[in-house]
Amino acid sequence: MSEKKNSNVIRLKSDLQEVRAIAKRVRMSPHKVRKVIDQIRGRSYEEALMLLEFMPYRACYPILQAVCSAAANANHNLGLSKANLVISKVMVDQGPVLKRFRPRAQGRGYPIRKPTCTITVFVKNQTS
């Protein structure tokens, strides 16, 4: 019987394993999201949840969803406890840009850029 490979589990050289979650096409500027993810990088899962819930930025909610999804992936796929998880890496990449035109005076149109981003969260088990 062949085993099904899971694309969310990344095996490292040692016994440490990283689990990831990806949020694609988040309708927000990558620059604004980076401001928030710099605060949670390297923190424990529970500490990151507390920070994201009480920070006053709009970017916190999609990051919170991605962090919770990564923890759920780690719990379901590897059986890791959520209390022992650490956010090892968080990345934000630029996604496709929605281009629109805003009508202006005398029949002109000004371009409007609506940026999107991709948020990738990696969690791993905390080493004692």
Side-chain angles (χ1 to χ4, degrees), residues 6 12 15 22 33 36-37 45 48 68 77 94 124 126-127:
N6 193 336
L12 301 175
D15 288 339
I22 302 173
V33 176
V36 176
I37 67 164
Y45 169 70
C68 289
N77 297 338
Q94 187 173 357
K124 67 180 179 182
Q126 191 173 20
T127 55

Side-chain angles (χ1 to χ4, degrees), residues 38-56:
D38 288 340
Q39 301 296 317
I40 65 164
R41 189 177 285 123
R43 298 191 186 253
S44 69
Y45 169 70
E46 294 169 343
E47 196 175 345
L49 285 184
M50 285 191 296
L51 278 174
L52 290 172
E53 284 179 12
F54 295 112
M55 287 173 92

Side-chain angles (χ1 to χ4, degrees), residues 75-123:
N75 188 6
H76 182 267
N77 297 338
L78 298 178
L80 301 176
S81 172
K82 289 183 180 181
N84 296 332
L85 293 177
V86 173
I87 298 173
S88 57
K89 285 192 287 186
V90 186
M91 298 182 301
V92 178
D93 299 319
Q94 187 173 357
V97 176
L98 304 175
K99 295 179 181 176
R100 303 288 184 263
F101 280 95
R102 183 91 179 148
R104 302 303 286 195
Q106 299 179 359
R108 292 186 176 95
Y110 280 10
I112 303 291
R113 294 178 69 250
K114 296 186 174 188
T116 62
C117 65
T118 301
I119 302 168
T120 309
V121 178
F122 291 89
V123 295

